[in-house]
Amino acid sequence: DDETGTATGGKTTGEAENTSGQLHGTTTRRDAHDVAGTMDQKYVHVVDRIQNVVEVFDSETDEAVGTYDLTTVTGIKGDGSVGPCAAASVTDGGVNFSTNDPAPDFIDATPDGKYMVISFRGPSPVSASHAAQGSCPGVGIVELLDSGKTGKLVAVMRSTNPVADTVGEISPAGGSTYTGVERSDIHDVVVVFHHEEEESSANVSSLMSAALMSAGVSLFFLMM
């Protein structure tokens, strides 16, 4: 039992509810969403959509072996550095809009075992708005470290879908009020390995980040 969790879903300890919202840095809520295994099947990576971290577990023992933070350069939580999501964040959210907030949703591994790719939600979440508002919609590229026990965010492939609609502001429960026009909201992400038999090495789609040029993959993501 996690002592910080609520007494819900069969859990018998903790508070009856947690009303601390979803703002990164202030909320104590958690939202484990998607999982992906490393290519050698030794470790399982679990994304936390609210806390902006990925928890890593040993696939044989179920032991927690690592955590990496998607808001820092190093992957180390609270080290004072500012990760790539900050530079990729929307700039039209208003003075009180929370930036450097990836809101990781789905995760998948690259075939070479070197990276994880993670979908990042947007400032105007289409679904799960109580837990999925982010500031840098797109796909995050995570470099795996320590044989897959941890990692760090090295790049954000930013998506954009500006819509000048009649909605004056977006105010998801527990989140930031957003007054801008960005409506991109990436949900799923899938890595597909491909190669050409005429060549000895795998090819990479032109859409891929330079961080993945050695991986030999195409990247597909669902925008809503």
Side-chain angles (χ1 to χ4, degrees):
D1 268 355
D2 182 353
E3 295 181 358
T4 64
T6 56
T8 56
K11 187 172 180 291
T12 58
T13 60
E15 299 294 328
E17 62 179 347
N18 184 331
T19 59
S20 62
Q22 60 174 306
L23 294 181
H24 177 63
T26 61
T27 181
T28 58
R29 293 172 60 217
R30 307 211 66 176
D31 183 35
H33 195 57
D34 194 28
V35 302
T38 55
M39 292 305 294
D40 59 10
Q41 301 183 355
K42 290 183 177 180
Y43 304 108
V44 176
H45 290 230
V46 184
V47 299
D48 186 324
R49 195 163 49 183
I50 291 181
Q51 293 298 324
N52 287 319
V53 298
V54 179
E55 305 285 2
V56 185
F57 298 86
D58 187 294
S59 62
E60 291 188 358
T61 66
D62 296 333
E63 177 186 6
V65 296
T67 302
Y68 54 93
D69 192 317
L70 298 171
T71 68
T72 66
V73 171
T74 62
I76 300 173
K77 189 176 181 67
D79 72 350
S81 65
V82 179
C85 176
S89 290
V90 295
T91 59
D92 61 354
V95 295
N96 295 319
F97 184 77
S98 179
T99 57
N100 195 22
D101 186 1
D105 211 50
F106 281 78
I107 183 172
D108 202 6
T110 61
D112 63 357
K114 294 181 179 180
Y115 303 95
M116 289 285 180
V117 295
I118 305 176
S119 56
F120 288 167
R121 300 294 297 273
S124 306
V126 175
S127 65
S129 59
H130 65 286
Q133 186 181 40
S135 67
C136 56
V139 176
I141 311 300
V142 169
E143 179 184 354
L144 295 178
L145 305 172
D146 195 11
S147 301
K149 289 183 180 179
T150 185
K152 62 180 180 180
L153 181 67
V154 295
V156 176
M157 298 171 61
R158 181 71 153 77
S159 62
T160 186
N161 182 32
V163 177
D165 54 31
T166 58
V167 179
E169 62 182 32
I170 306 295
S171 298
S176 297
T177 298
Y178 177 64
T179 58
V181 298
E182 183 62 78
R183 297 296 182 264
S184 179
D185 187 33
I186 304 302
H187 283 228
D188 200 4
V189 61
V190 177
V191 176
V192 178
F193 177 75
H194 69 97
H195 69 279
E196 293 183 8
E197 294 182 356
E198 297 178 357
E199 299 182 7
S200 59
S201 62
N203 293 321
V204 183
S205 168
S206 60
L207 295 177
M208 294 303 296
S209 163
L212 287 177
M213 289 301 291
S214 65
V217 298
S218 288
L219 184 63
F220 298 89
F221 53 86
L222 176 63
M223 180 186 294
M224 297 185 70

